[in-house]
């Protein structure tokens, strides 16, 4: 390998690594994937990825050529469409179907691709997902509707955050403050009372970092200690910012309109939960930008995760049902990876959303600070921790039973 070839290869690997980091790839998957690419090109490599940094070291057999790069990165956001296309491009390169120069050019094209669903559909998806989560939390019809409306307002703030750095820095507290205050306004002028904190939680569920907590613990279990610790702490700070904004908004609402008692919603039929799972899975398709050809797999994954978790919960202790759900989801995602030759993350993430205890973390924080229970729960902290550990263990066991074809 001459110096020119080395330069072309390291430029491609560097660009590929930054793009995969941008699309929200967990550190242990990103590092393993880049190592496979570097090995294919006959290079030795060492990678270190955290939510805010990416370090790359490349060298040839006899150290004739060496390269060291470290970059400050912004935390990535899940983009399954770009992730899928990037993986397909890398597969074509490794198969010899395209040249390195062509692959480098196509990476630039993928990087500027907009969401395949557009802003309008994504906004509808926010409202649909928040209403669906309210269904899964046992809310009444009025609470489900208001959660969807306030979820649309949260999407407005996320759009504004894309255009303003100041709003982006304050997205969580500003969005939660608006939701908390508007929930008080709606409750004051509504003919029938409802559970304000349940509506707030459902409206903010897209921003609640339950998935980040799970990914962070998965990184810790894979000995990616720096990345896992950083991700868990980042998720914890996001949770505190969300709760502070909501608490401030509700406090202002109580001062202006008076404090209202939490009204318990009328229990809806059990089939509403399955409708909620379907609505949530459809909404996550647009939010995660899932490629159209993989949409049926992504929707199916949510039903498998929820069904396995719900069924096993009737036989196991609280929280352990999540282990069965995560195990079934992991097996399904790895089977998908083998059949579709695509990253298992594409279908694993939507399924994890119905399992992660981000909502229970928020509920526990509210109970600890305000003394009020959003829903009647016992031992919420222990159950949250047990669910988190069960999710990680379930995915690990699934990878042992049926390994994924892809590192991503």
């Amino acid at each position: 390998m001459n110096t020119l070839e080395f330069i072309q290869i390291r430029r491609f690997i560097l660009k590929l690594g930054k793009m995969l980091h941008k699309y929200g790839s967990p550190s242990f998957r990103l590092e393993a994937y880049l190592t496979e690419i570097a090995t294919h090109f006959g290079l030795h490599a060492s990678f270190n990825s955290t939510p805010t940094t990416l370090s790359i070291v490349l060298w040839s057999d006899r150290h004739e050529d060496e390269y060291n790069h470290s970059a400050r990165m912004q935390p990535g956001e899940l983009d399954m469409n770009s992730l899928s296309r990037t993986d397909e491009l890398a597969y074509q390169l490794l198969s010899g179907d395209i040249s390195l120069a062509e692959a480098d050019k196509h990476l630039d094209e993928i990087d500027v691709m907009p969401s395949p669903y557009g802003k309008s559909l994504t906004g509808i998806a926010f409202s649909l997902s928040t209403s669906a989560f309210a269904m899964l939390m046992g809310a009444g019809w009025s609470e489900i509707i208001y959660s969807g409306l306030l979820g649309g307002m949260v999407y407005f703030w996320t759009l504004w955050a894309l255009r303003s750095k100041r709003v982006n820095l304050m997205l969580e507290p500003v969005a939660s403050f608006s939701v908390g205050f508007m929930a008080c306004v709606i409750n004051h002028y509504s003919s029938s009372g409802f559970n304000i904190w349940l509506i707030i939680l459902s409206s903010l569920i897209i921003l609640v970092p339950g998935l980040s907590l799970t990914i962070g613990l998965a990184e810790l279990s894979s000995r990616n200690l720096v990345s896992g610790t950083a991700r868990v702490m980042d998720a914890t700070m996001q949770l505190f910012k969300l709760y502070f904004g909501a608490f401030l908004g509700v406090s202002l609402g109580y001062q202006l309109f008076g404090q209202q008692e939490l009204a318990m919603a009328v229990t809806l039929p059990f089939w509403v939960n399955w409708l909620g799972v379907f609505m949530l899975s459809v909404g996550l398709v647009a939010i995660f930008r899932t490629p159209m050809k993989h949409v049926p797999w992504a929707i199916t994954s949510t039903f498998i995760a929820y069904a396995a978790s719900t069924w096993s919960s009737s036989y196991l202790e609280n929280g352990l049902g999540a282990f069965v759900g995560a195990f079934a989801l992991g097996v399904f995602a790895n089977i998908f990876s083998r059949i579709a030759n695509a990253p298992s993350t594409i279908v694993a993430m939507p399924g994890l959303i119905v399992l992660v205890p981000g909502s229970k973390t928020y509920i526990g924080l509210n109970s600890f600070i305000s003394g009020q229970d959003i829903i009647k729960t016992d031992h919420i902290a222990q159950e949250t921790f047990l669910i988190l550990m069960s999710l990680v263990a379930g995915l690990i066991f699934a990878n042992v039973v049926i390994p994924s074809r892809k590192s991503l």
Side-chain angles (χ1 to χ4, degrees), residues 202-224:
S202 301
S203 304
L204 295 172
I205 193 60
I206 302 299
L207 300 181
V208 172
L211 188 59
S212 295
L213 279 171
T214 305
I215 294 176
L217 290 174
E219 290 176 337
L220 288 172
S221 69
S222 64
R223 300 300 181 96
N224 288 71

Side-chain angles (χ1 to χ4, degrees), residues 1-11 41-43 59-67 100:
M1 178 185 301
N2 58 45
T3 302
L4 181 59
E5 289 176 328
F6 178 82
I7 292 175
Q8 290 177 328
I9 293 172
R10 55 97 166 166
R11 283 178 177 173
F41 286 112
L43 294 178
W59 66 94
S60 57
D61 280 333
R62 298 183 179 179
H63 291 265
E64 299 94 342
D65 297 293
E66 296 181 353
Y67 180 72
L100 192 60

